[in-house]
Amino acid sequence: GKVLLTGGSGFIASHVLDALLDDGFEVIVSARSDEKGQRIIGSVQPSQQKKTSYVVVKDIARDGIFDAVFQSDPPIKYVVHTASPYYLGAQDPVKEFLDPAIKGTTGLLKSIKEHAPGVKRVVITSSSAAILNPDSHAKVYDETCWAPTTWEDGMDPKQAYKASKVLSERAAWAFIEEERPNFDLATINNTYTFGPIQRNLPSLDALNTSNHRIRDMVQGKMKDALAPTAPVFTFVDVRDVALAHVRALTVPRAGGNRFYVVGGHFSNKRIADIIRSRYPQLSASLPPAELDDDLPGDVYGFDNRKTREVLGLEYRGLEESVVDTVDSILKLGQGL
Ligand code: NDP
């Protein structure tokens, strides 16, 4: 079957692409420019390049922008929607975050309904941001939890990203409920994601947001002061997130479900200790070894049973994730 993967240049999408190709799918990725599209194709194993193509979609917030994409032959059977802004320092929450996230999602679903009757399932990358309620943490989070963030909250640039994820996921479920399309939906609500950076990345300046913490630590930026981790104290490896997306497409009973994809707790101290023990040459750049663990003792718990039972996930540990992230950062930064 043929899959449309939106936001193909992204960190998570690059691993979803690998996992889809490994599973034998043919994939069309969307990217915002020809240059990005070509970099993605160039990053794929030569033997898999003939199964990979790209389409330029400049502005996902524009109504009907995906219509032409579904004229594809053979027809697209599945859609994985990862494209959504995720960066720090928004100036205009509506234009930069809420519109591309919400209209990008509903516009895509509308195009599928109208132009792609062959699509059976859509998987959307939501986030644990749509689950967590930092003002009053649950004791244990699971898929029944929803962040209470509103559009008005999103007018605060610090909350724009969270609002964009909550409201775009809500809009997607509402679309299914109201429009009764031919396809069903699953969402991947992964937590803060670490792991090998994408092969299509031109330079470390373009590094995705959730890997900044590990880059900054390696670059000595946390020698004197740790970056806060709150409100997110859990991590997951991007390869597990990618597998979750593919399984959510292929496992029949995954349809209609959210999946809270979480590997474990993390703290700055734990990341630093892993780097110190595996990369002695970096120890002078790291926070001091004698620091106390900055994971709060009363931290919330997480329940990832559904992802293990329905999607068959087995999670990588923090050490493997951090080491493979550092390796990939050092490689692109040529040792930094
Ligand atoms: P990246 O920034 O690496 O990827 C984001 C992707 O979305 C890029 O391909 C980007 O294109 C595309 N994109 C952003 N804004 C637009 C827009 N306005 N129009 C078209 N495309 C756009 O981040 P991630 O891979 O981490 O994020 C992917 C998805 O995963 C997002 O939905 C994010 O919310 C979600 N997520 C991420 C988590 C994490 O910790 N990393 C945790 C939970 C969810 P371009 O390269 O051209 O900018």
Side-chain angles (χ1 to χ4, degrees):
K2 197 162 163 186
V3 184
L4 170 67
L5 171 62
T6 70
S9 55
F11 166 56
I12 291 175
S14 72
H15 290 270
V16 175
L17 175 59
D18 287 345
L20 286 168
L21 291 170
D22 285 347
D23 232 26
F25 286 101
E26 196 184 322
V27 187
I28 308 183
V29 296
S30 75
R32 287 202 267 192
S33 67
D34 277 306
E35 193 201 330
K36 286 180 181 176
Q38 278 156 13
R39 287 191 74 89
I40 298 164
I41 306 298
S43 73
V44 165
Q45 302 291 333
S47 63
Q48 292 182 321
Q49 285 185 0
K50 61 179 183 311
K51 291 196 297 177
T52 319
S53 58
Y54 75 89
V55 59
V56 174
V57 174
K58 282 208 166 66
D59 179 6
I60 50 173
R62 222 169 76 212
D63 207 33
I65 187 106
F66 284 101
D67 288 358
V69 177
F70 291 106
Q71 311 305 319
S72 146
D73 185 38
I76 292 168
K77 275 196 150 145
Y78 302 102
V79 177
V80 179
H81 181 46
T82 79
S84 210
Y86 178 26
Y87 55 87
L88 307 172
Q91 314 271 316
D92 182 338
V94 175
K95 199 159 158 277
E96 292 176 60
F97 279 84
L98 295 158
D99 276 355
I102 302 168
K103 292 186 183 170
T105 298
T106 53
L108 173 65
L109 297 180
K110 197 160 153 250
S111 294
I112 301 169
K113 186 184 176 207
E114 288 169 9
H115 301 280
V119 169
K120 293 297 166 222
R121 177 159 300 162
V122 176
V123 174
I124 295 179
T125 320
S126 182
S127 172
S128 66
I131 289 186
L132 260 58
N133 178 9
D135 292 334
S136 169
H137 276 301
K139 218 171 138 49
V140 176
Y141 284 103
D142 66 16
E143 288 84 357
T144 62
C145 303
W146 274 96
T149 316
T150 61
W151 176 276
E152 290 69 38
D153 296 333
M155 297 305 107
D156 170 1
K158 286 202 210 66
Q159 292 234 58
Y161 173 68
K162 187 170 177 71
S164 79
K165 298 308 289 182
V166 176
L167 299 175
S168 60
E169 192 193 328
R170 282 204 183 280
W173 290 116
F175 185 94
I176 300 292
E177 180 77 25
E178 288 156 20
E179 302 284 330
R180 306 261 158 213
N182 283 334
F183 54 87
D184 64 8
L185 172 69
T187 63
I188 302 301
N189 295 73
N190 49 301
T191 187
Y192 199 50
T193 306
F194 300 144
I197 63 179
Q198 63 268 49
R199 293 185 301 270
N200 68 55
L201 205 68
S203 79
L204 273 186
D205 299 337
L207 187 68
N208 73 287
T209 303
S210 58
N211 275 326
H212 286 185
R213 179 179 306 278
I214 293 177
R215 176 199 63 193
D216 290 354
M217 205 177 276
V218 165
Q219 290 180 335
K221 292 184 189 146
M222 286 196 220
K223 241 171 99 72
D224 303 317
L226 299 179
T229 61
V232 185
F233 299 99
T234 54
F235 83 99
V236 64
D237 187 273
V238 68
R239 292 159 291 189
D240 299 332
V241 175
L243 196 57
H245 283 79
V246 177
R247 298 265 168 85
L249 271 191
T250 55
V251 172
R253 68 183 174 117
N257 285 287
R258 315 171 83 197
F259 293 100
Y260 183 30
V261 175
V262 194
H265 289 104
F266 83 95
S267 65
N268 288 307
K269 159 78 171 167
R270 292 176 190 189
I271 294 174
D273 286 350
I274 291 166
I275 301 177
R276 194 180 345 270
S277 77
R278 297 290 292 265
Y279 304 88
Q281 74 277 22
L282 294 176
S283 62
S285 306
L286 299 172
E290 59 280 4
L291 274 186
D292 287 337
D293 195 352
D294 51 323
L295 187 73
D298 62 347
V299 69
Y300 56 80
F302 59 88
D303 181 350
N304 64 11
R305 241 174 316 175
K306 187 162 144 187
T307 64
R308 288 184 278 116
E309 287 171 8
V310 179
L311 306 180
L313 293 188
E314 290 172 43
Y315 288 97
R316 285 174 172 79
L318 186 62
E319 174 149 0
E320 179 180 357
S321 196
V322 169
V323 168
D324 292 349
T325 309
V326 172
D327 274 347
S328 70
I329 287 175
L330 293 178
K331 197 168 152 214
L332 183 62
Q334 289 169 330
L336 299 173

